[in-house]
Amino acid sequence: MRSRRTVLGMPKYTHGHAESVLRSHRSRTAQNSAAYLLPHLKPGHQVLDVGSGPGTITVDLAELVAPGRVTATEINPDAAAITRAEAERRGVPNVDPVVADVHELQFETDSFDVVHAHQVLQHVADPVQALREMIRVCRPGGVVAVRDSDYGGFVWYPQLPALDHWLELYYAAARANGGEPDAGRRLLAWARAAGAENVTVSSATWCHADPDARAGWGGMWADRIVNSAITQQLLTSGLATEDDLKSISSAWSEWAAHPDGWISILHGEVLIHV
């Protein structure tokens, strides 16, 4: 078990908030990223969205539960402001961005009907403690919904050697930051360790294979590997050189342009019934 750290000592967010990262995250919607949760949402629900990021899923949830409200947490004021900007852009007034540490939430017990986290537990210092807190603030009869990718379940074609190197470097960077890239397969174990007894488990994939989807995913990683937080981490740690990263960037562009290019991205999902 990793040691628990409060908000000032939380692991560095591996992805950061570069344009290439936000471009990818803004493609996420409640439909393509939280479909397993949608049947459990009702108008009037009070929702906690942990790690709201660019706010696209958050605002979708807010529209679905109106006149209920969505409290959206982020790790610092700058990140919370990104969520706020998306709610304002779409004219959705029932979103309340706040700064919070998922390991020690400031909310009272039994405060929310639904607690949601998408791609969060893979980055936190102590996912079991995070789930304990998410369960604590969820009302009896409510649900805690968590979805995380599992990098060991990423499968692509053509199998370019530089993309294998990309995955090796991502594992090294994420784990150096205290995260667990293979979170998806661990969600049930973490939920049980957090005391959950009634858990519904599922999995889902994103598949990028048509030209537009390949251009989106491959182009995003071609940019991200040479111009984002992970770039500086890999270079300053000595895990990679600039030439290494340029080679990986070129490989993602090559993959995106290949007419047979295909990638499947695995996610684990749990619904904890409180």
Side-chain angles (χ1 to χ4, degrees):
M1 182 68 64
R2 297 176 184 86
S3 62
R4 181 179 174 190
R5 286 173 278 181
T6 55
V7 67
L8 293 177
M10 287 179 69
K12 185 197 318 183
Y13 180 46
T14 302
H15 297 299
H17 295 90
E19 183 278 332
S20 57
V21 176
L22 294 177
R23 185 199 324 160
S24 170
H25 292 182
R26 286 187 174 117
S27 69
R28 299 171 180 174
T29 67
Q31 190 59 52
N32 68 28
S33 299
Y36 72 111
L37 169 62
L38 300 188
H40 301 271
L41 298 176
K42 296 179 181 179
H45 269 169
Q46 301 299 309
V47 177
L48 177 65
D49 190 26
V50 176
S52 52
T56 49
I57 299 174
T58 311
V59 176
D60 284 350
L61 298 178
E63 290 179 330
L64 291 169
V65 302
R69 302 195 69 82
V70 176
T71 300
T73 77
E74 262 298 346
I75 59 174
N76 59 53
D78 288 343
I82 296 172
T83 301
R84 181 178 293 105
E86 177 65 11
E88 292 174 351
R89 185 188 71 81
R90 289 174 54 179
V92 176
N94 56 323
V95 175
D96 303 308
V98 299
V99 174
D101 176 4
V102 69
H103 300 101
E104 193 171 4
L105 294 169
Q106 64 264 45
F107 312 110
E108 299 208 359
T109 299
D110 302 344
S111 293
F112 301 96
D113 301 291
V114 174
V115 181
H116 170 260
H118 184 263
Q119 313 295 4
V120 171
L121 293 190
Q122 64 186 277
H123 298 294
V124 305
D126 189 338
V128 173
Q129 174 59 21
L131 281 167
R132 288 192 191 103
E133 279 292 275
M134 294 169 71
I135 293 167
R136 179 185 65 78
V137 301
C138 187
R139 293 170 181 155
V143 293
V144 174
V146 177
R147 186 177 195 252
D148 268 276
S149 57
D150 192 301
Y151 279 71
F154 287 21
V155 182
W156 59 80
Y157 182 86
Q159 292 171 283
L160 305 175
L163 298 189
D164 292 334
H165 192 200
W166 162 78
L167 186 59
E168 292 169 0
L169 290 176
Y170 184 82
Y171 271 117
R175 286 177 172 155
N177 289 335
E180 176 46 73
D182 291 342
R185 71 189 70 183
R186 291 172 164 82
L187 293 182
L188 175 59
W190 288 343
R192 286 168 51 82
E197 297 180 356
N198 187 353
V199 185
T200 301
V201 182
S202 57
S203 65
T205 60
W206 291 331
C207 184
H208 302 307
D210 64 77
D212 287 344
R214 286 199 309 272
W217 182 264
M220 174 272 295
W221 266 111
D223 291 345
R224 191 190 296 192
I225 198 64
V226 294
N227 188 24
S228 71
I230 196 172
T231 312
Q232 296 308 311
Q233 180 182 351
L234 291 171
L235 293 175
T236 58
S237 67
L239 288 168
T241 66
E242 290 187 6
D243 285 344
D244 291 331
L245 302 186
K246 288 177 182 177
S247 175
I248 292 169
S249 178
S250 295
W252 274 119
S253 296
E254 179 183 350
W255 173 86
H258 198 292
D260 299 326
W262 178 95
I263 190 168
S264 178
I265 299 166
L266 177 67
H267 301 85
E269 302 166 339
V270 294
L271 274 172
I272 300 170
H273 306 273
V274 178

